[in-house]
Amino acid sequence: MKTLNRVGLAALSLMLSTSVAFAATEVTWWHAMGGELGTKLEEIVAGYNASQSDYVVTPVYKGSYAETMTAAIAAFRAGEQPEIVQVFEVGTGTMMAAKGAVYPVYQLMADMGAEFNPADYLPTVVGYYTDTEGNMLSMPFNSSTPILYYNKTAFEKAGLHPNTPPATWEDLEAYSRKIMESGAASCGFTTGWISWAQLENFSAWHNQPIGTLENGFGGLDTELTVNGPLQVKHWENLKKWQDEGVFSYGGPGGGADAPATFYTGECAMYMNSSASRAGVLANAKDFEVGFGMLPHYADVQPQNSIIGGATLWVLQGADEAQYKGVADFFTYLSSPEVQAGWHQFSGYLPITQAAYELGQSQGYYEANPGSDVAIKQMTLNPPTENSKGLRFGNYVQIRDVIDQEFQALLSGDKSAQQALDDLVSRGNQMLRDFQAANQ
């Protein structure tokens, strides 16, 4: 009898512990953060899960930004979607048009009674993800902008000042040739993201329109305009510099080959996301890294760069308990301590003013020279219609076209003018397809 009682008590105890475990509401977050950033993201989620017992957030890595977005769309159609999905900035137009699929963040936070004040977030970040009434549709998490990384050791070997990055493209070319002639490096510079860094941000930085109707913010009948004289001049130079070995093409998309050419010292300069900071510092083991703003052509005053990265979109189809968990998690993610830690580790922009001010009070920017380059570059001047961002439908596919046309330029099949003209023509057809499907 005693044995049976003990068995019964053990079973009862197991049932109780199991019911307690199941009391926590599960929330799934699909994301595109690999490497050091993915490890840090998982730390943040673990911190949230340990901070309370009502909800458990499960992060799931789904591959690249494009792969993650594609997987989420397919999952939604199959009724197997996560509660949260991380979508990169160029997917914003597509997500906004996905009626019935998205639970807008401003509405979610209000419905769930969560503390939420859009004014707490940096205007340059939030403006990208609001509707025409100024309502936040998704939750900013990882916002970045491209900056210049450079090899201070190579600069010194070439007789260049290690604390003076090139300010203009003319400087960058001269520095590159001097570095190559001195033997300090065999290549001047490389870049990630031809589309994002060398066309979209290049245009905004030089206050050139990317498209009509305020780069697409003004309506679905927008058209691309990236085949202007300055963009043509820049792509002509990139082709010339590639042929001369001054520039090393890193490949399509994010430019998978670019980081290694910088880490190994082959190329002395490297343009990529401010959020590459963690990876750059972890992998550039043989030299000191410097940080600078993007170069501009000497006859044009720089304007401001635009953001990349991603936000967190909430998908329809979950229950109220899960949405309460999402709202609670978003509140945690936006707290100054979490945001400052993420920003300082990764190089992503602090999405709230409080997180930036916390970093200042901690002395972080003084102790880490160059860590505020992205913030200064983003806020160099008040954004214009040409430099506040872009909002085009089907833009994930249009970025593929950008890569295809740039490769046609490098291979000698097309001139810069022809490549950009064809890009605009092909891209505008994709915009018309999107308009027809979503009007």
Side-chain angles (χ1 to χ4, degrees):
M1 192 71 169
K2 287 181 181 179
T3 303
L4 286 172
N5 284 344
R6 284 175 185 163
V7 171
L9 284 170
L12 179 61
S13 175
L14 179 61
M15 287 171 62
L16 286 171
S17 65
T18 303
S19 68
V20 170
F22 278 111
T25 299
E26 294 188 12
V27 172
T28 302
W29 173 14
W30 285 6
H31 69 87
M33 300 273 91
E36 294 92 349
L37 295 174
T39 301
K40 182 65 175 177
L41 180 150
E42 290 177 357
E43 282 180 22
I44 292 172
V45 173
Y48 171 72
N49 289 339
S51 73
Q52 46 73 53
S53 57
D54 293 328
Y55 311 103
V56 173
V57 174
T58 303
V60 180
Y61 175 66
K62 298 298 286 186
S64 69
Y65 280 137
E67 289 167 341
T68 301
M69 182 173 168
T70 300
I73 292 170
F76 186 83
R77 288 171 179 160
E80 299 172 349
Q81 69 271 27
E83 287 69 54
I84 306 169
V85 61
Q86 183 185 33
V87 177
F88 57 166
E89 84 286 1
V90 295
T92 301
T94 300
M95 295 299 287
M96 285 180 68
K99 308 296 185 189
V102 170
Y103 194 163
V105 161
Y106 77 93
Q107 188 179 333
L108 166 85
M109 300 302 269
D111 290 350
M112 299 303 128
E115 288 184 23
F116 178 64
N117 182 6
D120 293 341
Y121 298 81
L122 295 180
T124 48
V125 173
V126 174
Y128 209 111
Y129 303 106
T130 55
D131 63 15
T132 51
E133 283 80 46
N135 296 310
M136 275 176 61
L137 303 176
S138 56
M139 176 61 69
F141 174 61
N142 56 303
S143 295
S144 58
T145 199
I147 63 171
L148 175 75
Y149 299 91
Y150 66 97
N151 181 332
K152 286 189 171 187
T153 305
F155 270 46
E156 285 184 302
K157 286 181 180 177
L160 298 167
H161 197 291
N163 294 323
T164 307
T168 67
W169 280 103
E170 290 84 353
D171 290 340
L172 185 138
E173 179 180 12
Y175 285 22
S176 294
R177 295 192 188 282
K178 193 167 185 181
I179 286 166
M180 292 165 67
E181 287 165 6
S182 72
S186 59
C187 143
F189 74 99
T190 186
T191 184
W193 293 105
I194 291 295
S195 54
W196 182 48
Q198 304 304 335
L199 192 59
E200 297 155 24
N201 263 283
F202 174 83
S203 298
W205 191 227
H206 291 82
N207 201 19
Q208 300 294 305
I210 301 168
T212 60
L213 298 178
E214 301 178 34
N215 292 344
F217 276 77
L220 294 179
D221 50 340
T222 180
E223 293 187 338
L224 298 176
T225 58
V226 289
N227 56 342
L230 196 58
Q231 289 103 332
V232 170
K233 172 185 175 180
H234 186 53
W235 274 34
E236 283 176 345
N237 280 335
L238 290 173
K239 161 64 172 167
K240 179 187 76 169
W241 293 331
Q242 169 78 10
D243 290 346
E244 296 172 350
V246 170
F247 164 57
S248 177
Y249 175 53
D257 297 334
T261 59
F262 180 65
Y263 299 156
T264 59
E266 179 183 339
C267 292
M269 291 172 280
Y270 170 47
M271 279 163 270
N272 210 337
S273 170
S274 58
S276 300
R277 180 184 176 91
V280 168
L281 293 176
N283 289 284
K285 296 183 171 70
D286 298 325
F287 57 88
E288 186 180 356
V289 177
F291 308 87
M293 291 190 189
L294 294 174
H296 61 91
Y297 282 99
D299 57 347
V300 181
Q301 287 298 310
Q303 172 57 41
N304 65 278
S305 61
I306 55 178
I307 62 172
T311 53
L312 308 184
W313 290 79
V314 184
L315 299 181
Q316 296 281 6
D319 59 38
E320 184 177 354
Q322 288 174 305
Y323 287 135
K324 282 188 176 293
V326 172
D328 190 65
F329 180 52
F330 282 178
T331 300
Y332 178 86
L333 279 184
S334 298
S335 66
E337 295 75 17
V338 171
Q339 263 304 309
W342 172 242
H343 153 62
Q344 292 171 21
F345 170 82
S346 66
Y348 282 115
L349 297 163
I351 63 167
T352 64
Q353 189 64 34
Y356 181 41
E357 290 170 357
L358 178 59
Q360 289 176 314
S361 67
Q362 293 169 335
Y364 172 75
Y365 302 109
E366 283 185 26
N368 296 274
S371 57
D372 57 353
V373 163
I375 301 167
K376 290 179 177 177
Q377 185 178 270
M378 280 283 302
T379 58
L380 186 65
N381 289 297
T384 68
E385 291 183 357
N386 298 331
S387 69
K388 69 178 180 180
L390 55 88
R391 186 169 292 166
F392 302 115
N394 282 341
Y395 202 71
V396 177
Q397 294 88 338
I398 291 172
R399 273 205 173 158
D400 289 338
V401 173
I402 294 173
D403 283 328
Q404 291 163 14
E405 295 298 339
F406 188 74
Q407 289 173 324
L409 165 68
L410 293 187
S411 67
D413 292 340
K414 295 182 182 181
S415 66
Q417 185 72 66
Q418 188 65 57
L420 288 168
D421 285 349
D422 289 351
L423 159 57
V424 166
S425 176
R426 295 172 66 192
N428 284 342
Q429 183 56 55
M430 291 178 174
L431 292 177
R432 298 292 72 77
D433 293 344
F434 186 82
Q435 181 183 11
N438 291 282
Q439 271 192 332

